[in-house]
Amino acid sequence: MIGRIISTALLLSTVMTTGSAHAEPIPAEDLAKVANIQSVSMSADGEHIVAIIALPGSDNQETALATWELDNMDQDPEITPSGDKMKFIGAGALKAGRLLVFGRQEWTGQLGGCGEGKISGATKTFVTKPYLTDVEHEEFEEAFARNVRRIGISKDTQTCLEISGEASLVSTLPMDPHRVIIQQLNGLTLQGNFYLYDLRDGSTELLVSSSAGSSPSLFHPRTGEVLARNELESVDGEYVQRYLLRNDEGDFEVHDKLSTKLSERHSVTIEGVDEESGKFYVLTDQFSNLVQAWMYDPGKREFDPEPLVAHDKYSIGSLVFGNRPSNFNQLLGFRISGPRMQTVYVDPQMRSIQEGLEQAFPDQVVSINSYTDDMSTVLFTTSSHRHPPAYHLLRDRKRVEPLGSQRPWIDPDEIGEQRWVTYEARDGMEIPAILDLPAGWEEGDDALPTIIHPHGGPWARDAMGWDASGWVPFLTSRGYAVLRPQYRGSAGLGRDLWLAGDREWGQKMQDDKDDGARWLVEQGIADEDRIAIFGYSYGGFAAVAATVRPNGPYQCAIAGAPVSDLGRLGVTWSDNRLQRILQGQTVTGMDPMRNTDKADIPILLYVGDRDVRTPSWHAENFYNAVKEHVPARFQLISDMPHSMPWYPRHQTQSLALIEDFLEGQCGMGSDS
């Protein structure tokens, strides 16, 4: 085990180079069409590369599965197009010559009381399925689902399994040549059983059965043995999340120092085990506002006196362990959840490779994805807010072979500057944010039309870098400044900021967005007469809330897939019991649907008719309630789900709606 590492390392520069002053608007189609290449991985044996690509000849409208032989990358790959209904959306190389591929298709029918949409009664959704195939793509079979369908399952239960999925991959067990750990749903109890699954013939060996209140939380990465599990228990009316660790006799014992009250919402994650000392790697914020990495001694039942890894400004997001024979289960580095996810390697060899690649790709973030045991081949990704992700191979630590960029047609000079900023909310809380500016804009230039763009969740956060949704480069290339506030209630940027959002929907959470707009005006960046708010999902809620809050800074609002009715949302927040307990009670505040008579700015609302997370009635009911008070538009987009990936036509249509509304009813154009 390596010694303690206390890191206050400087993050990568958060100010990027400004592009040309004569940028052209990026066409919606350039951001909407299928990426040239994505979801790239390398097999554990270093023999194959697998990816999802744009189907040749489809004008980037359809996806396909592609597999290359690593030693013959000049030869054409094996390509299998998506089907007429099931479309490939992701893939990963496993081992034993097997690939895990994800497909998704439209599905219409009764939901059977299961999954997202069961409360709303929605009957249009999407089904996502994992499939196993070989490197030649000869056969596709539903992954890990064998032994799930049983006599006695009701039709509704079977429908539930069809929609929500029957099995999932839990661990790849890198040192086992042909077995992985999977979870299968028991069709009679709907509880998860965990198995060793043989990729060669589909045979299984039961590891452990979970129940509603107990599930495994750590498998030994070498053998698959369950080392830790967690249980949810009610104690004196208080829910407690208990961690139980396996002792030397094979029995599980409760460890109080790892157990926390759900109401206190501390983060505790067991990341791994050090095989030499027997200590566990634990990520927790029990000792700080930020998540730190600690070593926990199960024999002494105590944490080490000091954290293994800590940062003075940001949380530790995860630890990086070796997954090849030469470095298996060794701690190679850690990731800092700063403005962007930054990997810091403590292993000398990995650090040397990372530093060399960063020198070769200045002003971009380099991420090492996979490597062969002798490091003769390294798969890595580069990206920045101006450069969509691109994939490369490093050969023999001497030469780089490009595999391709997701969107090589994007001109970086059309995208301007990106900054990580902080501003003070009206009650004194510091709010971090990401500010994107049009190419060529400099301090002292005319103030800009501006979009306040809150993220979804709300228990989520934004990170600097390429915006996969396409919304930010679409707007900045049209002359808008875009501010993405990490408002109170955002997760991953400290426990204090996260908890401060409780029961503040439409109230202090909303103040944070408004105060960001006012701060931009004070900085001379935003034109106070041309500010709009645009958000999606929870961000859509923020847009409808802005529509009915008096004296706001906005000229208009755009709400994509919004929540509008907190009263109806209630405790139906999630199918996940823990999330209902934790988050459901925090979803209170100002309810826009009870204040529609106060609407005072134009609003555009759009949502997909296959969105079962925030069903269309949220947007449509709000539209019907405010259309007599303010200019309003409602658009239902055919076959669009809540989450990406969207069909190209979904993105093209929604971006056109946004542009037309801003330029038209809102009067927000840069030349207005």
Side-chain angles (χ1 to χ4, degrees):
M1 185 183 77
I2 67 168
R4 292 187 181 88
I5 313 150
I6 307 299
S7 172
T8 56
L10 292 176
L11 297 176
L12 296 174
S13 172
T14 60
V15 179
M16 312 299 277
T17 304
T18 301
S20 165
H22 304 288
E24 294 294 327
I26 299 174
E29 293 77 12
D30 284 0
L31 297 164
K33 57 189 178 182
V34 170
N36 269 9
I37 184 171
Q38 58 185 311
S39 192
V40 181
S41 63
M42 182 169 66
S43 61
D45 56 17
E47 293 184 0
H48 294 91
I49 293 287
V50 61
I52 300 298
I53 64 171
L55 178 65
S58 73
D59 192 27
N60 291 81
Q61 299 299 299
E62 294 286 350
T63 58
L65 175 67
T67 306
W68 292 262
E69 291 185 8
L70 203 58
D71 290 337
N72 296 289
M73 294 297 293
D74 291 336
Q75 295 185 3
D76 291 338
E78 185 73 36
I79 296 177
T80 299
S82 289
D84 292 339
K85 295 182 179 180
M86 184 67 77
K87 309 297 183 182
F88 293 129
I89 61 171
L94 292 176
K95 53 191 173 184
R98 304 294 277 168
L99 312 178
L100 183 63
V101 187
F102 294 90
R104 188 184 70 174
Q105 74 177 62
E106 300 162 16
W107 186 90
T108 301
Q110 294 298 322
L111 288 176
C114 165
E116 288 185 321
K118 68 179 182 182
I119 301 299
S120 69
T123 60
K124 298 177 71 174
T125 184
F126 274 77
V127 173
T128 299
K129 293 285 186 181
Y131 295 91
L132 283 173
T133 188
D134 54 35
V135 294
E136 287 83 24
H137 310 176
E138 290 184 350
E139 292 185 9
F140 288 81
E141 60 182 18
E142 189 173 338
F144 319 130
R146 193 171 297 177
N147 301 324
V148 173
R149 297 181 178 88
R150 300 180 182 178
I151 297 174
I153 297 178
S154 70
K155 182 178 179 181
D156 280 353
T157 300
Q158 187 59 56
T159 300
C160 174
L161 294 173
E162 287 291 332
I163 295 169
S164 60
E166 302 171 2
S168 58
L169 179 67
V170 176
S171 171
T172 60
L173 292 180
M175 297 300 288
D176 192 301
H178 47 77
R179 294 190 301 177
V180 296
I181 298 176
I182 65 165
Q183 181 182 19
Q184 285 184 344
L185 284 179
N186 183 311
L188 297 177
T189 66
L190 293 185
Q191 301 301 326
N193 295 329
F194 294 82
Y195 298 89
L196 285 171
Y197 181 96
D198 196 315
L199 291 167
R200 298 171 300 178
D201 57 16
S203 60
T204 58
E205 176 185 335
L206 181 66
L207 283 173
V208 63
S209 296
S210 66
S211 65
S214 176
S215 61
S217 54
L218 181 69
F219 295 91
H220 196 291
R222 190 181 300 273
T223 66
E225 178 186 34
V226 180
L227 299 180
R229 72 170 195 256
N230 60 75
E231 294 180 350
L232 184 64
E233 185 175 340
S234 179
V235 180
D236 298 327
E238 176 82 66
Y239 281 102
V240 177
Q241 185 78 56
R242 298 192 184 280
Y243 272 95
L244 296 85
L245 305 181
R246 182 186 292 273
N247 60 26
D248 292 338
E249 287 73 41
D251 299 321
F252 284 91
E253 299 176 331
V254 173
H255 284 250
D256 290 335
K257 290 189 176 180
L258 296 176
S259 302
T260 59
K261 295 180 179 179
L262 283 193
S263 61
E264 296 177 352
R265 296 225 305 272
H266 282 293
S267 174
V268 179
T269 305
I270 301 179
E271 285 274 289
V273 63
D274 178 65
E275 295 178 278
E276 181 179 344
S277 68
K279 292 182 179 181
F280 288 89
Y281 296 96
V282 180
L283 296 182
T284 184
D285 59 4
Q286 293 182 88
F287 313 108
S288 168
N289 175 48
L290 304 170
V291 174
Q292 303 168 323
W294 290 78
M295 299 302 294
Y296 178 79
D297 189 326
K300 296 180 179 179
R301 293 177 174 262
E302 63 184 22
F303 287 97
D304 282 0
E306 297 179 348
L308 173 71
V309 181
H311 194 278
D312 58 352
K313 292 183 178 180
Y314 303 109
S315 290
I316 303 303
S318 62
L319 302 178
V320 182
F321 295 97
N323 58 13
R324 296 292 180 260
S326 61
N327 62 12
F328 185 75
N329 207 33
Q330 296 177 23
L331 182 61
L332 304 182
F334 54 93
R335 296 187 177 95
I336 303 171
S337 297
R340 60 177 60 83
M341 188 66 77
Q342 178 190 357
T343 301
V344 178
Y345 285 104
V346 297
D347 175 78
Q349 185 178 32
M350 296 296 290
R351 184 171 62 243
S352 174
I353 293 173
Q354 178 80 11
E355 290 174 349
L357 293 174
E358 288 174 351
Q359 291 177 8
F361 294 89
D363 298 325
Q364 295 199 54
V365 174
V366 175
S367 300
I368 296 175
N369 306 114
S370 187
Y371 48 88
T372 55
D373 189 43
D374 60 0
M375 292 292 179
S376 60
T377 302
V378 176
L379 172 66
F380 67 98
T381 307
T382 59
S383 67
S384 76
H385 78 283
R386 301 176 67 220
H387 299 84
Y391 306 93
H392 319 263
L393 294 173
L394 175 65
R395 300 282 201 171
D396 300 318
R397 301 186 64 174
K398 295 178 181 178
R399 68 184 190 279
V400 171
E401 298 177 6
L403 295 177
S405 167
Q406 286 188 4
R407 302 181 183 275
W409 51 83
I410 295 294
D411 182 354
D413 288 342
E414 294 173 350
I415 301 173
E417 182 182 354
Q418 187 174 87
R419 305 175 185 173
W420 183 262
V421 299
T422 58
Y423 59 89
E424 190 173 284
R426 64 192 67 182
D427 64 355
M429 177 166 277
E430 288 292 318
I431 306 299
I434 300 172
L435 174 62
D436 286 87
L437 297 166
W441 188 87
E442 297 179 353
E443 304 290 341
D445 288 350
D446 291 342
L448 295 164
T450 297
I451 310 296
I452 304 302
H453 184 40
H455 61 72
W459 288 6
R461 57 156 294 185
D462 292 309
M464 296 179 70
W466 178 253
D467 174 31
S469 73
W471 292 323
V472 174
F474 181 79
L475 292 166
T476 58
S477 71
R478 281 157 176 76
Y480 296 98
V482 178
L483 183 75
R484 287 176 279 175
Q486 307 307 295
Y487 49 84
R488 67 194 75 199
S490 299
L493 291 167
R495 188 164 172 268
D496 292 344
L497 183 70
W498 180 38
L499 297 180
D502 288 2
R503 301 173 180 84
E504 292 293 347
W505 285 51
Q507 298 174 157
K508 289 183 179 180
M509 292 170 73
Q510 200 72 19
D511 291 344
D512 295 344
K513 290 96 168 174
D514 297 359
D515 294 343
R518 294 190 177 95
W519 176 77
L520 287 175
V521 172
E522 294 170 358
Q523 300 300 307
I525 296 171
D527 180 343
E528 64 180 343
D529 294 323
R530 291 190 293 167
I531 303 176
I533 183 169
F534 160 49
Y536 191 88
S537 196
Y538 167 83
F541 166 86
V544 299
T547 306
V548 301
R549 277 177 42 118
N551 305 314
Y554 312 108
Q555 276 62 60
C556 67
I558 301 174
V563 169
S564 66
D565 193 329
L566 294 189
R568 289 185 66 179
L569 189 65
V571 294
T572 64
W573 181 253
S574 171
D575 280 340
N576 183 285
R577 184 186 182 196
L578 290 181
Q579 191 174 22
R580 288 198 307 273
I581 295 171
L582 289 171
Q583 195 166 9
Q585 62 181 334
T586 74
V587 185
T588 60
M590 189 276 288
D591 192 334
M593 279 303 297
R594 308 302 178 267
N595 292 276
T596 53
D597 60 320
K598 300 182 179 67
D600 62 359
I601 58 173
I603 182 168
L604 164 68
L605 303 109
Y606 72 90
V607 62
D609 68 356
R610 292 187 182 273
D611 190 330
V612 295
R613 183 167 302 172
T614 56
S616 59
W617 53 259
H618 275 289
E620 189 168 11
N621 289 353
F622 188 80
Y623 163 75
N624 287 330
V626 303
K627 65 182 179 181
E628 301 302 324
H629 302 285
V630 296
R633 180 178 179 183
F634 168 70
Q635 183 68 50
L636 189 64
I637 299 179
S638 174
D639 293 327
M640 182 175 173
H642 187 82
S643 301
M644 296 180 73
W646 296 307
Y647 295 154
R649 60 182 171 86
H650 296 150
Q651 187 71 317
T652 302
Q653 183 178 355
S654 58
L655 289 175
L657 286 170
I658 292 167
E659 182 173 28
D660 291 347
F661 186 77
L662 289 174
E663 297 282 343
Q665 284 181 296
C666 197
M668 283 280 293
S670 57
D671 296 326
S672 299

